[in-house]
Short mmCIF file of all heavy atoms in Angstrom, two decimals:
data_model
loop_
_atom_site.label_atom_id
_atom_site.label_comp_id
_atom_site.label_asym_id
_atom_site.label_seq_id
_atom_site.Cartn_x
_atom_site.Cartn_y
_atom_site.Cartn_z
N MET A 1261 -5.27 -5.14 -13.70
CA MET A 1261 -4.73 -5.51 -12.39
C MET A 1261 -5.71 -6.46 -11.70
O MET A 1261 -6.91 -6.35 -11.86
CB MET A 1261 -4.54 -4.28 -11.52
CG MET A 1261 -3.43 -3.37 -11.95
SD MET A 1261 -3.16 -2.08 -10.72
CE MET A 1261 -1.42 -1.98 -10.81
N ARG A 1262 -5.13 -7.34 -10.91
CA ARG A 1262 -5.93 -8.28 -10.15
C ARG A 1262 -5.56 -8.19 -8.67
O ARG A 1262 -4.41 -7.96 -8.34
CB ARG A 1262 -5.69 -9.70 -10.64
CG ARG A 1262 -6.18 -9.90 -12.03
CD ARG A 1262 -6.34 -11.36 -12.29
NE ARG A 1262 -7.13 -11.50 -13.50
CZ ARG A 1262 -6.81 -12.28 -14.49
NH1 ARG A 1262 -5.72 -13.01 -14.42
NH2 ARG A 1262 -7.58 -12.37 -15.54
N ILE A 1263 -6.55 -8.39 -7.82
CA ILE A 1263 -6.28 -8.41 -6.39
C ILE A 1263 -5.52 -9.68 -6.06
O ILE A 1263 -5.96 -10.78 -6.36
CB ILE A 1263 -7.57 -8.31 -5.56
CG1 ILE A 1263 -8.23 -6.96 -5.82
CG2 ILE A 1263 -7.27 -8.53 -4.08
CD1 ILE A 1263 -9.54 -6.78 -5.11
N ARG A 1264 -4.35 -9.49 -5.47
CA ARG A 1264 -3.49 -10.62 -5.10
C ARG A 1264 -3.81 -11.09 -3.69
O ARG A 1264 -3.90 -12.27 -3.43
CB ARG A 1264 -2.03 -10.18 -5.21
CG ARG A 1264 -1.03 -11.17 -4.80
CD ARG A 1264 -0.84 -12.19 -5.89
NE ARG A 1264 0.22 -13.08 -5.46
CZ ARG A 1264 0.24 -14.35 -5.74
NH1 ARG A 1264 -0.69 -14.87 -6.49
NH2 ARG A 1264 1.21 -15.10 -5.32
N GLU A 1265 -3.98 -10.12 -2.77
CA GLU A 1265 -4.29 -10.46 -1.38
C GLU A 1265 -4.70 -9.21 -0.62
O GLU A 1265 -4.46 -8.09 -1.06
CB GLU A 1265 -3.10 -11.12 -0.69
CG GLU A 1265 -1.87 -10.27 -0.61
CD GLU A 1265 -0.68 -11.04 -0.04
OE1 GLU A 1265 -0.71 -11.35 1.16
OE2 GLU A 1265 0.25 -11.33 -0.81
N VAL A 1266 -5.34 -9.43 0.52
CA VAL A 1266 -5.67 -8.36 1.45
C VAL A 1266 -4.93 -8.69 2.74
O VAL A 1266 -5.04 -9.80 3.26
CB VAL A 1266 -7.19 -8.28 1.71
CG1 VAL A 1266 -7.50 -7.21 2.73
CG2 VAL A 1266 -7.94 -8.02 0.40
N ARG A 1267 -4.17 -7.71 3.22
CA ARG A 1267 -3.32 -7.93 4.40
C ARG A 1267 -3.69 -6.97 5.51
O ARG A 1267 -4.12 -5.85 5.25
CB ARG A 1267 -1.85 -7.71 4.05
CG ARG A 1267 -1.33 -8.61 2.96
CD ARG A 1267 0.07 -8.22 2.55
NE ARG A 1267 1.02 -8.34 3.63
CZ ARG A 1267 1.78 -9.41 3.85
NH1 ARG A 1267 1.68 -10.45 3.07
NH2 ARG A 1267 2.64 -9.44 4.83
N GLU A 1268 -3.51 -7.43 6.74
CA GLU A 1268 -3.65 -6.52 7.87
C GLU A 1268 -2.55 -5.48 7.79
O GLU A 1268 -1.50 -5.71 7.18
CB GLU A 1268 -3.54 -7.28 9.19
CG GLU A 1268 -4.71 -8.18 9.46
CD GLU A 1268 -4.60 -8.87 10.80
OE1 GLU A 1268 -3.67 -8.55 11.58
OE2 GLU A 1268 -5.44 -9.72 11.07
N TRP A 1269 -2.79 -4.33 8.41
CA TRP A 1269 -1.80 -3.27 8.40
C TRP A 1269 -0.54 -3.72 9.12
O TRP A 1269 -0.60 -4.38 10.16
CB TRP A 1269 -2.33 -2.00 9.05
CG TRP A 1269 -1.29 -0.93 9.06
CD1 TRP A 1269 -0.57 -0.49 10.12
CD2 TRP A 1269 -0.82 -0.20 7.93
NE1 TRP A 1269 0.32 0.47 9.73
CE2 TRP A 1269 0.19 0.67 8.39
CE3 TRP A 1269 -1.14 -0.19 6.58
CZ2 TRP A 1269 0.87 1.53 7.54
CZ3 TRP A 1269 -0.47 0.67 5.74
CH2 TRP A 1269 0.52 1.52 6.23
N GLU A 1270 0.60 -3.39 8.56
CA GLU A 1270 1.89 -3.64 9.19
C GLU A 1270 2.75 -2.41 8.95
O GLU A 1270 2.48 -1.63 8.05
CB GLU A 1270 2.56 -4.89 8.62
CG GLU A 1270 2.82 -4.80 7.13
CD GLU A 1270 3.34 -6.11 6.56
OE1 GLU A 1270 2.52 -7.00 6.33
OE2 GLU A 1270 4.56 -6.21 6.37
N ASN A 1271 3.74 -2.23 9.77
CA ASN A 1271 4.61 -1.07 9.59
C ASN A 1271 5.33 -1.16 8.26
O ASN A 1271 5.75 -2.22 7.84
CB ASN A 1271 5.63 -0.98 10.73
CG ASN A 1271 4.98 -0.59 12.03
OD1 ASN A 1271 3.98 0.12 12.04
ND2 ASN A 1271 5.53 -1.04 13.13
N VAL A 1272 5.45 -0.02 7.63
CA VAL A 1272 6.13 0.06 6.34
C VAL A 1272 7.43 0.83 6.51
O VAL A 1272 7.59 1.60 7.45
CB VAL A 1272 5.25 0.75 5.27
CG1 VAL A 1272 3.98 -0.02 5.04
CG2 VAL A 1272 4.94 2.18 5.65
N ARG A 1273 8.35 0.59 5.61
CA ARG A 1273 9.62 1.33 5.62
C ARG A 1273 9.46 2.59 4.79
O ARG A 1273 8.91 2.55 3.68
CB ARG A 1273 10.74 0.48 5.06
CG ARG A 1273 11.17 -0.61 6.04
CD ARG A 1273 12.31 -1.40 5.50
NE ARG A 1273 11.68 -2.56 4.86
CZ ARG A 1273 12.28 -3.37 4.05
NH1 ARG A 1273 13.52 -3.18 3.70
NH2 ARG A 1273 11.64 -4.40 3.53
N ASP A 1274 9.94 3.70 5.31
CA ASP A 1274 9.87 4.97 4.60
C ASP A 1274 10.74 4.93 3.35
O ASP A 1274 11.77 4.24 3.31
CB ASP A 1274 10.34 6.12 5.49
CG ASP A 1274 9.34 6.42 6.59
OD1 ASP A 1274 8.14 6.16 6.39
OD2 ASP A 1274 9.76 6.92 7.65
N VAL A 1275 10.33 5.72 2.37
CA VAL A 1275 11.11 5.88 1.14
C VAL A 1275 11.53 7.34 1.08
O VAL A 1275 10.69 8.21 0.89
CB VAL A 1275 10.29 5.51 -0.11
CG1 VAL A 1275 11.10 5.72 -1.37
CG2 VAL A 1275 9.79 4.08 -0.02
N PRO A 1276 12.81 7.63 1.27
CA PRO A 1276 13.27 9.02 1.24
C PRO A 1276 12.98 9.68 -0.11
O PRO A 1276 13.05 9.04 -1.16
CB PRO A 1276 14.78 8.93 1.47
CG PRO A 1276 15.01 7.57 2.03
CD PRO A 1276 13.91 6.70 1.51
N ASN A 1277 12.60 10.95 -0.07
CA ASN A 1277 12.35 11.77 -1.26
C ASN A 1277 11.26 11.21 -2.16
O ASN A 1277 11.28 11.41 -3.37
CB ASN A 1277 13.64 11.96 -2.08
CG ASN A 1277 14.74 12.60 -1.26
OD1 ASN A 1277 14.48 13.53 -0.51
ND2 ASN A 1277 15.94 12.08 -1.39
N SER A 1278 10.29 10.51 -1.58
CA SER A 1278 9.17 9.99 -2.38
C SER A 1278 8.02 10.99 -2.35
O SER A 1278 7.99 11.90 -1.53
CB SER A 1278 8.70 8.63 -1.86
OG SER A 1278 8.21 8.76 -0.55
N SER A 1279 7.06 10.81 -3.24
CA SER A 1279 5.91 11.70 -3.28
C SER A 1279 5.03 11.47 -2.05
O SER A 1279 5.13 10.44 -1.38
CB SER A 1279 5.12 11.50 -4.56
OG SER A 1279 4.66 10.17 -4.63
N ASP A 1280 4.14 12.43 -1.77
CA ASP A 1280 3.33 12.38 -0.56
C ASP A 1280 2.39 11.18 -0.50
O ASP A 1280 2.08 10.68 0.57
CB ASP A 1280 2.50 13.65 -0.42
CG ASP A 1280 3.36 14.86 -0.11
OD1 ASP A 1280 4.49 14.69 0.38
OD2 ASP A 1280 2.89 16.00 -0.36
N GLU A 1281 1.92 10.72 -1.65
CA GLU A 1281 0.96 9.61 -1.63
C GLU A 1281 1.62 8.26 -1.38
O GLU A 1281 0.94 7.29 -1.08
CB GLU A 1281 0.11 9.56 -2.90
CG GLU A 1281 0.88 9.29 -4.15
CD GLU A 1281 1.30 10.55 -4.89
OE1 GLU A 1281 1.17 11.67 -4.38
OE2 GLU A 1281 1.80 10.39 -6.00
N ILE A 1282 2.93 8.16 -1.49
CA ILE A 1282 3.62 6.91 -1.19
C ILE A 1282 3.94 6.86 0.30
O ILE A 1282 4.73 7.65 0.81
CB ILE A 1282 4.91 6.75 -2.02
CG1 ILE A 1282 4.56 6.70 -3.51
CG2 ILE A 1282 5.67 5.50 -1.60
CD1 ILE A 1282 5.74 6.63 -4.43
N ILE A 1283 3.28 5.94 0.99
CA ILE A 1283 3.47 5.82 2.44
C ILE A 1283 4.79 5.15 2.74
O ILE A 1283 5.47 5.49 3.68
CB ILE A 1283 2.30 5.02 3.06
CG1 ILE A 1283 1.00 5.80 2.87
CG2 ILE A 1283 2.55 4.74 4.53
CD1 ILE A 1283 -0.22 5.05 3.30
N GLY A 1284 5.16 4.17 1.94
CA GLY A 1284 6.41 3.45 2.13
C GLY A 1284 6.40 2.16 1.34
O GLY A 1284 5.63 2.01 0.39
N ILE A 1285 7.24 1.22 1.76
CA ILE A 1285 7.33 -0.07 1.09
C ILE A 1285 7.28 -1.19 2.12
O ILE A 1285 7.62 -1.00 3.28
CB ILE A 1285 8.62 -0.20 0.25
CG1 ILE A 1285 9.85 0.00 1.13
CG2 ILE A 1285 8.62 0.74 -0.93
CD1 ILE A 1285 11.18 -0.28 0.44
N ILE A 1286 6.82 -2.36 1.67
CA ILE A 1286 6.87 -3.57 2.49
C ILE A 1286 7.48 -4.68 1.65
O ILE A 1286 7.48 -4.62 0.42
CB ILE A 1286 5.48 -3.98 3.04
CG1 ILE A 1286 4.49 -4.24 1.90
CG2 ILE A 1286 4.96 -2.97 4.01
CD1 ILE A 1286 3.15 -4.78 2.37
N ASP A 1287 8.01 -5.68 2.33
CA ASP A 1287 8.60 -6.84 1.68
C ASP A 1287 7.61 -8.00 1.84
O ASP A 1287 7.30 -8.40 2.95
CB ASP A 1287 9.93 -7.17 2.35
CG ASP A 1287 10.65 -8.33 1.68
OD1 ASP A 1287 9.99 -9.12 0.97
OD2 ASP A 1287 11.86 -8.43 1.86
N ILE A 1288 7.11 -8.50 0.71
CA ILE A 1288 6.19 -9.63 0.74
C ILE A 1288 6.85 -10.78 -0.01
O ILE A 1288 7.01 -10.74 -1.23
CB ILE A 1288 4.85 -9.28 0.07
CG1 ILE A 1288 4.18 -8.13 0.81
CG2 ILE A 1288 3.94 -10.51 0.05
CD1 ILE A 1288 2.89 -7.66 0.17
N ARG A 1289 7.28 -11.76 0.76
CA ARG A 1289 7.93 -12.96 0.19
C ARG A 1289 9.04 -12.60 -0.80
O ARG A 1289 9.11 -13.12 -1.92
CB ARG A 1289 6.88 -13.86 -0.46
CG ARG A 1289 5.91 -14.46 0.55
CD ARG A 1289 4.88 -15.35 -0.10
NE ARG A 1289 3.87 -14.65 -0.86
CZ ARG A 1289 2.83 -13.99 -0.35
NH1 ARG A 1289 2.69 -13.94 0.97
NH2 ARG A 1289 1.95 -13.40 -1.11
N GLY A 1290 9.87 -11.65 -0.41
CA GLY A 1290 11.02 -11.27 -1.22
C GLY A 1290 10.75 -10.24 -2.29
O GLY A 1290 11.65 -9.84 -3.01
N LYS A 1291 9.51 -9.79 -2.43
CA LYS A 1291 9.16 -8.76 -3.41
C LYS A 1291 8.92 -7.45 -2.68
O LYS A 1291 8.22 -7.41 -1.66
CB LYS A 1291 7.87 -9.13 -4.17
CG LYS A 1291 7.93 -10.43 -4.89
CD LYS A 1291 8.66 -10.29 -6.18
CE LYS A 1291 8.57 -11.61 -6.95
NZ LYS A 1291 9.36 -11.61 -8.11
N ILE A 1292 9.50 -6.37 -3.18
CA ILE A 1292 9.29 -5.04 -2.60
C ILE A 1292 8.02 -4.45 -3.20
O ILE A 1292 7.88 -4.38 -4.43
CB ILE A 1292 10.49 -4.11 -2.89
CG1 ILE A 1292 11.77 -4.72 -2.31
CG2 ILE A 1292 10.25 -2.71 -2.36
CD1 ILE A 1292 11.74 -4.94 -0.82
N VAL A 1293 7.08 -4.05 -2.32
CA VAL A 1293 5.79 -3.54 -2.77
C VAL A 1293 5.59 -2.12 -2.23
O VAL A 1293 5.58 -1.93 -1.02
CB VAL A 1293 4.64 -4.45 -2.28
CG1 VAL A 1293 3.29 -3.92 -2.72
CG2 VAL A 1293 4.85 -5.88 -2.75
N PRO A 1294 5.44 -1.12 -3.11
CA PRO A 1294 5.14 0.23 -2.64
C PRO A 1294 3.68 0.30 -2.16
O PRO A 1294 2.80 -0.32 -2.74
CB PRO A 1294 5.35 1.11 -3.87
CG PRO A 1294 5.29 0.19 -5.03
CD PRO A 1294 5.62 -1.18 -4.55
N ILE A 1295 3.46 1.06 -1.09
CA ILE A 1295 2.13 1.23 -0.51
C ILE A 1295 1.69 2.68 -0.72
O ILE A 1295 2.39 3.61 -0.32
CB ILE A 1295 2.12 0.90 0.99
CG1 ILE A 1295 2.71 -0.50 1.24
CG2 ILE A 1295 0.73 1.03 1.57
CD1 ILE A 1295 1.95 -1.63 0.59
N LEU A 1296 0.52 2.87 -1.35
CA LEU A 1296 0.02 4.20 -1.68
C LEU A 1296 -1.21 4.54 -0.86
O LEU A 1296 -2.01 3.67 -0.52
CB LEU A 1296 -0.35 4.28 -3.16
CG LEU A 1296 0.79 4.50 -4.12
CD1 LEU A 1296 1.57 3.25 -4.33
CD2 LEU A 1296 0.29 5.08 -5.39
N ASP A 1297 -1.36 5.84 -0.60
CA ASP A 1297 -2.53 6.39 0.06
C ASP A 1297 -3.35 7.11 -1.02
O ASP A 1297 -3.00 8.21 -1.44
CB ASP A 1297 -2.10 7.36 1.15
CG ASP A 1297 -3.25 7.96 1.92
OD1 ASP A 1297 -4.42 7.78 1.51
OD2 ASP A 1297 -2.98 8.64 2.93
N LEU A 1298 -4.43 6.48 -1.49
CA LEU A 1298 -5.22 7.08 -2.57
C LEU A 1298 -5.98 8.32 -2.12
O LEU A 1298 -6.29 9.18 -2.93
CB LEU A 1298 -6.17 6.05 -3.16
CG LEU A 1298 -5.49 4.93 -3.94
CD1 LEU A 1298 -6.54 3.95 -4.48
CD2 LEU A 1298 -4.66 5.48 -5.07
N LYS A 1299 -6.32 8.41 -0.82
CA LYS A 1299 -6.95 9.64 -0.33
C LYS A 1299 -6.03 10.83 -0.56
O LYS A 1299 -6.45 11.89 -1.02
CB LYS A 1299 -7.30 9.52 1.16
CG LYS A 1299 -8.53 8.68 1.42
CD LYS A 1299 -8.79 8.57 2.91
CE LYS A 1299 -9.43 9.82 3.45
NZ LYS A 1299 -9.84 9.66 4.87
N GLN A 1300 -4.76 10.66 -0.27
CA GLN A 1300 -3.77 11.72 -0.48
C GLN A 1300 -3.59 11.99 -1.97
O GLN A 1300 -3.55 13.13 -2.41
CB GLN A 1300 -2.43 11.31 0.14
CG GLN A 1300 -1.31 12.28 -0.08
CD GLN A 1300 -1.43 13.51 0.79
OE1 GLN A 1300 -2.04 13.46 1.84
NE2 GLN A 1300 -0.85 14.60 0.36
N LYS A 1301 -3.53 10.94 -2.76
CA LYS A 1301 -3.32 11.07 -4.21
C LYS A 1301 -4.40 11.91 -4.88
O LYS A 1301 -4.13 12.74 -5.73
CB LYS A 1301 -3.26 9.67 -4.84
CG LYS A 1301 -3.24 9.63 -6.33
CD LYS A 1301 -1.89 9.94 -6.86
CE LYS A 1301 -1.88 9.76 -8.38
NZ LYS A 1301 -0.79 10.44 -8.97
N PHE A 1302 -5.66 11.71 -4.46
CA PHE A 1302 -6.78 12.41 -5.09
C PHE A 1302 -7.27 13.61 -4.31
O PHE A 1302 -8.34 14.14 -4.60
CB PHE A 1302 -7.91 11.42 -5.37
CG PHE A 1302 -7.53 10.38 -6.37
CD1 PHE A 1302 -7.47 9.04 -6.01
CD2 PHE A 1302 -7.20 10.72 -7.67
CE1 PHE A 1302 -7.10 8.07 -6.93
CE2 PHE A 1302 -6.83 9.75 -8.60
CZ PHE A 1302 -6.79 8.44 -8.22
N GLY A 1303 -6.51 14.05 -3.30
CA GLY A 1303 -6.81 15.29 -2.60
C GLY A 1303 -7.92 15.22 -1.57
O GLY A 1303 -8.57 16.23 -1.29
N PHE A 1304 -8.15 14.06 -0.98
CA PHE A 1304 -9.18 13.91 0.05
C PHE A 1304 -8.59 13.87 1.45
O PHE A 1304 -9.20 13.35 2.37
CB PHE A 1304 -10.01 12.64 -0.18
CG PHE A 1304 -10.83 12.69 -1.43
CD1 PHE A 1304 -10.49 11.92 -2.52
CD2 PHE A 1304 -11.92 13.53 -1.53
CE1 PHE A 1304 -11.24 11.95 -3.69
CE2 PHE A 1304 -12.68 13.58 -2.69
CZ PHE A 1304 -12.34 12.79 -3.77
N GLY A 1305 -7.40 14.39 1.65
CA GLY A 1305 -6.73 14.35 2.94
C GLY A 1305 -5.80 13.16 3.02
O GLY A 1305 -5.41 12.59 2.00
N THR A 1306 -5.48 12.77 4.24
CA THR A 1306 -4.60 11.61 4.43
C THR A 1306 -5.28 10.60 5.33
O THR A 1306 -6.14 10.94 6.14
CB THR A 1306 -3.26 12.01 5.06
OG1 THR A 1306 -3.52 12.65 6.32
CG2 THR A 1306 -2.48 12.95 4.17
N ASN A 1307 -4.91 9.35 5.17
CA ASN A 1307 -5.41 8.30 6.05
C ASN A 1307 -4.66 8.35 7.37
O ASN A 1307 -3.46 8.48 7.39
CB ASN A 1307 -5.18 6.92 5.42
CG ASN A 1307 -6.31 6.49 4.54
OD1 ASN A 1307 -7.46 6.55 4.94
ND2 ASN A 1307 -5.99 6.07 3.33
N GLU A 1308 -5.41 8.24 8.45
CA GLU A 1308 -4.77 8.07 9.75
C GLU A 1308 -4.45 6.59 9.87
O GLU A 1308 -5.34 5.75 9.85
CB GLU A 1308 -5.72 8.50 10.87
CG GLU A 1308 -6.03 9.97 10.82
CD GLU A 1308 -5.81 10.62 12.16
OE1 GLU A 1308 -5.37 9.95 13.10
OE2 GLU A 1308 -6.06 11.82 12.23
N ILE A 1309 -3.17 6.28 9.93
CA ILE A 1309 -2.76 4.88 9.96
C ILE A 1309 -2.92 4.34 11.37
O ILE A 1309 -2.34 4.83 12.32
CB ILE A 1309 -1.30 4.74 9.48
CG1 ILE A 1309 -1.14 5.34 8.09
CG2 ILE A 1309 -0.87 3.29 9.51
CD1 ILE A 1309 -2.02 4.73 7.02
N ASP A 1310 -3.78 3.31 11.48
CA ASP A 1310 -4.01 2.65 12.76
C ASP A 1310 -4.33 1.18 12.49
O ASP A 1310 -4.26 0.72 11.36
CB ASP A 1310 -5.11 3.35 13.55
CG ASP A 1310 -6.41 3.50 12.77
OD1 ASP A 1310 -6.67 2.65 11.88
OD2 ASP A 1310 -7.16 4.45 13.03
N ASP A 1311 -4.73 0.47 13.53
CA ASP A 1311 -4.99 -0.96 13.39
C ASP A 1311 -6.25 -1.27 12.59
O ASP A 1311 -6.50 -2.42 12.23
CB ASP A 1311 -5.07 -1.63 14.77
CG ASP A 1311 -3.73 -1.64 15.47
OD1 ASP A 1311 -2.70 -1.54 14.77
OD2 ASP A 1311 -3.70 -1.75 16.70
N ASP A 1312 -7.08 -0.25 12.30
CA ASP A 1312 -8.30 -0.47 11.52
C ASP A 1312 -8.06 -0.40 10.02
O ASP A 1312 -8.99 -0.52 9.24
CB ASP A 1312 -9.37 0.57 11.90
CG ASP A 1312 -9.89 0.36 13.30
OD1 ASP A 1312 -9.85 -0.79 13.78
OD2 ASP A 1312 -10.33 1.33 13.92
N LYS A 1313 -6.83 -0.22 9.61
CA LYS A 1313 -6.49 -0.15 8.19
C LYS A 1313 -6.03 -1.51 7.69
O LYS A 1313 -5.55 -2.35 8.44
CB LYS A 1313 -5.38 0.88 7.93
CG LYS A 1313 -5.74 2.28 8.36
CD LYS A 1313 -6.89 2.82 7.55
CE LYS A 1313 -7.19 4.24 7.99
NZ LYS A 1313 -8.54 4.62 7.70
N ALA A 1314 -6.18 -1.70 6.39
CA ALA A 1314 -5.70 -2.90 5.72
C ALA A 1314 -5.01 -2.47 4.44
O ALA A 1314 -5.10 -1.31 4.04
CB ALA A 1314 -6.87 -3.85 5.42
N VAL A 1315 -4.33 -3.39 3.80
CA VAL A 1315 -3.64 -3.11 2.55
C VAL A 1315 -4.12 -4.11 1.50
O VAL A 1315 -4.11 -5.31 1.74
CB VAL A 1315 -2.10 -3.23 2.72
CG1 VAL A 1315 -1.40 -3.03 1.40
CG2 VAL A 1315 -1.60 -2.24 3.75
N ILE A 1316 -4.58 -3.59 0.37
CA ILE A 1316 -4.93 -4.44 -0.76
C ILE A 1316 -3.74 -4.48 -1.69
O ILE A 1316 -3.24 -3.43 -2.10
CB ILE A 1316 -6.16 -3.90 -1.50
CG1 ILE A 1316 -7.40 -3.99 -0.61
CG2 ILE A 1316 -6.39 -4.68 -2.81
CD1 ILE A 1316 -8.66 -3.45 -1.25
N ILE A 1317 -3.27 -5.67 -2.00
CA ILE A 1317 -2.14 -5.85 -2.91
C ILE A 1317 -2.68 -6.23 -4.28
O ILE A 1317 -3.40 -7.22 -4.42
CB ILE A 1317 -1.18 -6.94 -2.39
CG1 ILE A 1317 -0.74 -6.67 -0.95
CG2 ILE A 1317 0.02 -7.09 -3.34
CD1 ILE A 1317 0.07 -5.41 -0.77
N LEU A 1318 -2.35 -5.42 -5.28
CA LEU A 1318 -2.75 -5.69 -6.66
C LEU A 1318 -1.54 -6.16 -7.44
O LEU A 1318 -0.43 -5.71 -7.21
CB LEU A 1318 -3.33 -4.44 -7.31
CG LEU A 1318 -4.56 -3.84 -6.65
CD1 LEU A 1318 -4.95 -2.56 -7.36
CD2 LEU A 1318 -5.71 -4.81 -6.67
N LYS A 1319 -1.80 -7.04 -8.40
CA LYS A 1319 -0.72 -7.55 -9.23
C LYS A 1319 -1.04 -7.28 -10.69
O LYS A 1319 -2.15 -7.50 -11.15
CB LYS A 1319 -0.53 -9.05 -9.01
CG LYS A 1319 0.60 -9.64 -9.81
CD LYS A 1319 0.75 -11.11 -9.55
CE LYS A 1319 1.91 -11.63 -10.39
NZ LYS A 1319 2.01 -13.07 -10.34
N SER A 1320 -0.05 -6.79 -11.40
CA SER A 1320 -0.15 -6.56 -12.84
C SER A 1320 1.11 -7.10 -13.48
O SER A 1320 2.18 -6.55 -13.28
CB SER A 1320 -0.28 -5.06 -13.12
OG SER A 1320 -0.24 -4.81 -14.50
N GLU A 1321 0.97 -8.18 -14.22
CA GLU A 1321 2.10 -8.88 -14.83
C GLU A 1321 3.17 -9.17 -13.77
O GLU A 1321 2.93 -9.96 -12.89
CB GLU A 1321 2.63 -8.10 -16.01
CG GLU A 1321 1.63 -8.02 -17.15
CD GLU A 1321 2.17 -7.32 -18.36
OE1 GLU A 1321 3.40 -7.24 -18.52
OE2 GLU A 1321 1.36 -6.87 -19.15
N ASP A 1322 4.32 -8.49 -13.82
CA ASP A 1322 5.39 -8.78 -12.86
C ASP A 1322 5.49 -7.79 -11.71
O ASP A 1322 6.38 -7.89 -10.89
CB ASP A 1322 6.74 -8.82 -13.59
CG ASP A 1322 6.84 -10.02 -14.51
OD1 ASP A 1322 6.17 -11.03 -14.22
OD2 ASP A 1322 7.58 -9.95 -15.50
N SER A 1323 4.61 -6.80 -11.64
CA SER A 1323 4.72 -5.79 -10.58
C SER A 1323 3.55 -5.89 -9.61
O SER A 1323 2.48 -6.41 -9.94
CB SER A 1323 4.78 -4.39 -11.18
OG SER A 1323 3.60 -4.11 -11.89
N ARG A 1324 3.79 -5.41 -8.40
CA ARG A 1324 2.77 -5.39 -7.36
C ARG A 1324 2.69 -4.00 -6.76
O ARG A 1324 3.68 -3.27 -6.72
CB ARG A 1324 3.11 -6.40 -6.27
CG ARG A 1324 2.99 -7.81 -6.75
CD ARG A 1324 3.12 -8.80 -5.62
NE ARG A 1324 2.84 -10.13 -6.14
CZ ARG A 1324 3.69 -11.12 -6.12
NH1 ARG A 1324 4.87 -10.95 -5.61
NH2 ARG A 1324 3.36 -12.28 -6.61
N LEU A 1325 1.49 -3.63 -6.30
CA LEU A 1325 1.25 -2.31 -5.74
C LEU A 1325 0.23 -2.47 -4.63
O LEU A 1325 -0.73 -3.23 -4.78
CB LEU A 1325 0.73 -1.40 -6.84
CG LEU A 1325 0.59 0.06 -6.57
CD1 LEU A 1325 1.96 0.68 -6.21
CD2 LEU A 1325 0.03 0.76 -7.80
N GLY A 1326 0.44 -1.78 -3.51
CA GLY A 1326 -0.48 -1.86 -2.40
C GLY A 1326 -1.19 -0.55 -2.15
O GLY A 1326 -0.64 0.52 -2.36
N PHE A 1327 -2.47 -0.64 -1.73
CA PHE A 1327 -3.27 0.54 -1.42
C PHE A 1327 -3.83 0.41 -0.01
O PHE A 1327 -4.33 -0.64 0.37
CB PHE A 1327 -4.43 0.67 -2.39
CG PHE A 1327 -4.01 0.85 -3.82
CD1 PHE A 1327 -4.04 -0.19 -4.70
CD2 PHE A 1327 -3.57 2.09 -4.26
CE1 PHE A 1327 -3.64 -0.03 -6.02
CE2 PHE A 1327 -3.16 2.26 -5.57
CZ PHE A 1327 -3.19 1.20 -6.45
N VAL A 1328 -3.78 1.50 0.75
CA VAL A 1328 -4.33 1.52 2.10
C VAL A 1328 -5.84 1.65 1.99
O VAL A 1328 -6.35 2.48 1.24
CB VAL A 1328 -3.77 2.70 2.92
CG1 VAL A 1328 -4.43 2.78 4.27
CG2 VAL A 1328 -2.28 2.57 3.07
N VAL A 1329 -6.58 0.83 2.74
CA VAL A 1329 -8.04 0.87 2.77
C VAL A 1329 -8.51 0.72 4.21
O VAL A 1329 -7.77 0.27 5.09
CB VAL A 1329 -8.67 -0.25 1.91
CG1 VAL A 1329 -8.31 -0.08 0.45
CG2 VAL A 1329 -8.26 -1.61 2.40
N ASP A 1330 -9.76 1.13 4.45
CA ASP A 1330 -10.37 0.88 5.75
C ASP A 1330 -10.73 -0.59 5.82
O ASP A 1330 -11.22 -1.16 4.85
CB ASP A 1330 -11.64 1.72 5.93
CG ASP A 1330 -11.35 3.21 5.96
OD1 ASP A 1330 -10.28 3.58 6.46
OD2 ASP A 1330 -12.20 3.98 5.51
N SER A 1331 -10.45 -1.20 6.96
CA SER A 1331 -10.73 -2.63 7.07
C SER A 1331 -12.23 -2.87 7.14
O SER A 1331 -12.72 -3.87 6.74
CB SER A 1331 -10.04 -3.23 8.29
OG SER A 1331 -10.50 -2.63 9.45
#
């Protein structure tokens, strides 16, 4: 995977019946990108989503995935 871009936090759309670590999805230039909370995934609690957060977008071949990080 390669880092595609780092974006400021923006509101994400909820995904019904998704796992706890999936915060939601965003649309980036016509591509739907799921946003994950790795703290939740690995059992370190949850990220408090505020303006101090950013999203790292990774690209692998034809798919993209976003991770919440502290800015």
Side-chain angles (χ1 to χ4, degrees):
M1261 290 188 143
R1262 294 199 166 132
I1263 295 177
R1264 177 78 176 146
E1265 61 186 290
V1266 177
R1267 300 173 62 94
E1268 291 183 7
W1269 179 255
E1270 60 187 80
N1271 289 330
V1272 299
R1273 286 183 265 166
D1274 289 332
V1275 179
N1277 302 318
S1278 63
S1279 60
D1280 291 339
E1281 64 267 9
I1282 297 177
I1283 296 173
I1285 57 173
I1286 59 175
D1287 183 340
I1288 300 176
R1289 294 180 288 283
K1291 302 281 186 187
I1292 301 300
V1293 179
I1295 306 299
L1296 279 77
D1297 181 351
L1298 291 180
K1299 283 178 78 173
Q1300 177 75 25
K1301 172 78 175 161
F1302 295 116
F1304 294 109
T1306 59
N1307 271 310
E1308 295 231 2
I1309 304 301
D1310 54 28
D1311 291 338
D1312 291 333
K1313 300 295 181 204
V1315 176
I1316 293 179
I1317 306 296
L1318 299 176
K1319 182 179 180 188
S1320 174
E1321 295 183 22
D1322 291 333
S1323 62
R1324 291 189 174 120
L1325 189 60
F1327 298 102
V1328 175
V1329 297
D1330 295 327
S1331 61

